Amino acid sequence: DAGVTQSPTHLIKTRGQQVTLRCSPKSGHDTVSWYQQALGQGPQFIFQYYEEEERQRGNFPDRFSGHQFPNYSSELNVNALLLGDSALYLCASSLLKGWGEQFFGPGTRLTVL
Amino acid sequence: DQQVKQNSPSLSVQEGRISILNCDYTNSMFDYFLWYKKYPAEGPTFLISISSIKDKNEDGRFTVFLNKSAKHLSLHIVPSQPGDSAVYFCAALSGNTGKLIFGQGTTLQVKP
C-alpha cells in the first residue's frame, strides 16, 4: 500500500512566479490537508480539502489556493511567490475530515530566490 | 499566540535509558493529541496518539501521558535507542476543525 506521495521533491522558483505542488493521499483516505514548515518551526496548517471543497483554512493569504480532484488527490498553488514562501510543504491524508491520525508525505522543498 | 508549546528545544539521553519529551497546550477545546517523529528531509511520521478521555496510551516502547487539568502531555520512550534520534513534534486537534496545531519540536539525541 503506497503511502502519501508528493511531487516534486524539490523546486526552485524566483520571486513573483507561481508554483503548483501535488499530493496523492493514502489509499482509502478522503481528506487532504496542507502544511507549511519553515526552518526550525513546527508545521503550520494552510488548508484542508474534503469532498473537493476547502473545508478549513489557516492564516495564509489568498495567494495560497488549492484543489482536490475526484480521486482525492490534491494540488497546492502559490501565486506571486515571496522569499518568505521558501519552506517545506507537507501534505497529510486522513479520514473523518482530519479528526484522528493524519499521515504525512515526504514534502516538497520550495526555494524562492 | 503559540497554543502548543514544547519548551525544550533539545534533549540528550544515553542508550537504554528513558527519554521524556514534554508538551503544554493552552486551548481547552483540544480533544486529541498526537506525537510525530521527523528525520531530516522526510515528512513527519505518526508515532502515537491519545484522546482527551484517556490519560495514558501505550504502544511498545512509546507511552503518552495526558494531564488535562495541567494541560500537559508527555511522551516516554523506554528503552531509548540510537535510531530514536530525531525531531519530535507534539500536535493537537479540536474535533470540529480537523487541523493539527504543532509545537516547535524537540530534538532528541540518543547516545550509544
Side-chain angles (χ1 to χ4, degrees), chain A residues 100-104, chain B residues 6 19-21 32-39 43-50 57-64 73-79 81 83-91 100 102 106 108:
Chain A
E101 290 80 14
Q102 296 186 18
F103 296 89
F104 285 83
Chain B
Q6 294 176 256
S19 296
I20 301 176
L21 297 99
Y32 201 78
F33 302 89
L34 306 90
W35 284 93
Y36 287 86
K37 171 180 170 181
K38 189 178 184 300
Y39 294 117
T45 301
F46 169 72
L47 272 178
I48 192 168
S49 60
I50 187 166
N57 189 26
E58 282 183 88
D59 185 1
R61 296 186 299 115
F62 302 92
T63 303
V64 55
L73 64 155
S74 61
L75 174 67
H76 293 211
I77 306 174
V78 183
Q81 299 173 353
D84 295 330
S85 298
V87 179
Y88 288 77
F89 290 98
C90 164
L100 285 170
F102 282 85
T106 296
L108 172 66

Side-chain angles (χ1 to χ4, degrees), chain A residues 33-105:
Chain A
S33 304
W34 287 92
Y35 294 81
Q36 180 197 65
Q37 186 178 18
L39 207 59
Q41 302 292 320
Q44 299 284 317
F45 176 81
I46 303 175
F47 43 52
Q48 182 183 86
Y49 279 85
Y50 173 73
E51 292 188 339
E52 301 180 49
E53 291 191 358
E54 184 180 294
R55 182 176 169 270
Q56 294 282 340
R57 189 176 184 93
N59 189 25
F60 280 80
D62 292 346
R63 299 187 296 109
F64 289 77
S65 63
H67 189 79
Q68 186 179 35
F69 299 93
N71 67 353
Y72 306 120
S73 67
S74 177
E75 287 182 350
L76 164 65
N77 301 293
V78 187
N79 293 323
L81 285 167
L82 304 173
L83 295 179
D85 295 332
S86 295
L88 181 67
Y89 288 85
L90 295 162
C91 166
S93 80
S94 58
L95 294 167
L96 304 174
K97 301 177 187 177
W99 195 91
E101 290 80 14
Q102 296 186 18
F103 296 89
F104 285 83

Side-chain angles (χ1 to χ4, degrees), chain B residues 1 3 5-6 14 16 21 23 26-27 29 32-33 37-38 48 54 56 61 66 74-75 79 87 96 98 102 104 112:
Chain B
D1 179 31
Q3 296 186 70
K5 294 181 181 180
Q6 294 176 256
Q14 210 65 35
L21 297 99
C23 179
T26 58
N27 190 339
M29 296 298 292
Y32 201 78
F33 302 89
K37 171 180 170 181
K38 189 178 184 300
I48 192 168
K54 295 186 174 182
K56 179 182 174 181
R61 296 186 299 115
L66 175 62
S74 61
L75 174 67
V87 179
N96 63 344
F102 282 85
Q104 308 96 306

